[in-house]
Amino acid sequence: MDRLSSLWNGLDARRRIVALLAAAAAMLAVWGLARMATEPSMSLLYAGLDPAASGEVISALEARGIPYEARGDSIWAPEGQRDALRMALAADGLPQAGARGYELLDDLSGFGTTAQMFDAAYWRAKEGELARTILALPSIRQARVHIANPPRRPFEQAPTPSASVSVSVGSGALGEAQASAIRHLVSSAVPGLTAAQVTVVDAENGTVLTEEGGPESPQAVEDRAARLKANVERLLEARVGRGAAVVEVMVDADMNSETVTERVLDPQGRVAIHTDTQETSEQSQGGEAGGVTVASNLPDGGQQGAGGSSSTANETRERVNYEVSEVLRERIRRPGEVRKISVAVLVDGVRTVNDAGEVDWTPRPEQELQALRELVESAIGFDPARGDVVTIRTLEFTAPADLGTSASASGAADFLAANAMTLIQLGALSLVALLLGLFVLRPMITRRVEDARTLELEALPAGAGAREQAEAAVALAGEVIDAGQITADRLRALRDLTGERKDDAAALLGLWLEQGEPARETA
């Protein structure tokens, strides 16, 4: 403490100010290092929330007195409390996912609520519940559902409802499988709604995702080719081994749709379905003209007095209705009908080791290739009339070089990658503190010691070579003494130098004795 006091008293005003500023900077650096070391590591709590939900979560964190950081649309909390905070906020219903659901119906009272008001609230609640369910799907960040259900009117058929869904994903684009799942989810929740009436829109890209999951879609054709390829590869690997066969399958499908209606009439195959028979009989009589007498008015007078003729006609009509044999065929050809299948197979030959230890390669025999061809044709459903082609060749495979490096667990690398920014900040503060100590404090202390040594030499009496002897003694001591690093080797070197340069050692001891006498007298 006395040494520090004497050192401080020996500094001028400018050096004192510099020393104070350096000490303050060093203290700030140490304080920053201590704060960074004790500051909790922040971890992502929630991301992608809408502003209203983010405000509710921040209010809940402030009420609990938990530190947080808001970075854009994400909220960060202490890593050690993240999981507990999520469960606690979930118990409070935070963050609210999507719009309000059936709780909207709780606000409706029986008085003053019309049927139209209830229907509107019901469909809003239905949309909110569907949006919440869609948000529970993986990678879905935001979702909105709109349902159009026209009102029913008397003497009209029941209208067909429709729906539209707007979806935002965290990264990338919404897949066709997820879009199909959303369509069936919405259509199953609304009576009378079919999946074809549900439109799914990717809000990030502004595109409409059409229904492409049927058997007529190009994706279905590619899936069929992939299945055939997997079947053929599994079949060949059982014989030639894994990695010794390469298979490529191409399915040529007709993506046009066609409806053919055929009507065939067979006149020879008629069938009587109705018969109508009509018979007509007519009879007539005639006589010669004569005068009217009394005899003609008598019952038998007409026959006796007149001669004539009579005729009878019979007619029969028959009408038969026949139904001609008719065959009506309607054929609907949907897109995706296979027109041709082409398969290319490349198999490796047979590798054997000779007596010299070298590997010999020989192609596979033709009989084996023919057997493999028959197996492939059976696996793909080969149809010669369709023009299917199967090509099998045996060629030597080139062994690929080993790629990449072996994976090994590295905890240090993971730690550095996760805390890179924190380590950089610590290193910068440590470097500042080290520079202050080396280039500010150390030069000041060293200069002060040199000044004190110069004053001591100047205080010596001017005698015959006294100053020169003192300087030589000080130089001798400086050669072997280093403050704070006195070891056994240095003590041994000091003894050797003292034996060799006895005069210089005696002068140095005399100088130390002279410096110690005033101190004892003062005490």
Side-chain angles (χ1 to χ4, degrees), residues 259-307:
T259 302
V260 178
T261 303
E262 181 182 4
R263 185 181 181 185
V264 180
L265 300 177
D266 185 9
Q268 302 299 329
R270 61 181 184 174
V271 178
I273 60 174
H274 179 72
T275 301
D276 185 11
T277 303
Q278 183 179 4
E279 295 181 358
T280 305
S281 177
E282 294 183 357
Q283 185 178 3
S284 63
Q285 293 181 352
E288 296 181 357
V292 178
T293 62
V294 175
S296 63
N297 291 327
L298 295 177
D300 296 331
Q303 296 179 358
Q304 294 177 0

Side-chain angles (χ1 to χ4, degrees), residues 229 232-248 344-349 364 372 376 392-393 395 397:
K229 178 181 178 180
V232 174
E233 286 181 345
R234 185 170 60 253
L235 189 64
L236 294 177
E237 287 176 353
R239 170 60 183 173
V240 300
R242 180 177 295 275
V246 179
V247 180
E248 292 296 334
V345 179
L346 179 63
V347 295
D348 196 5
R364 296 185 180 272
L372 294 178
V376 173
I392 299 181
R393 295 290 184 269
L395 297 174
F397 282 16

Side-chain angles (χ1 to χ4, degrees), residues 327-347:
V327 178
L328 182 64
R329 296 188 183 96
E330 183 176 1
R331 179 185 178 189
I332 300 176
R333 189 176 65 181
R334 298 184 178 276
E337 182 179 357
V338 177
R339 292 186 296 192
K340 181 181 179 181
I341 298 178
S342 301
V343 181
V345 179
L346 179 63
V347 295

Side-chain angles (χ1 to χ4, degrees), residues 27 87 104 168 243 305 314 320 338 457 515:
M27 293 178 63
M87 290 185 286
L104 288 172
S168 299
N314 296 324
V320 180
V338 177
L457 293 175
Q515 292 178 354

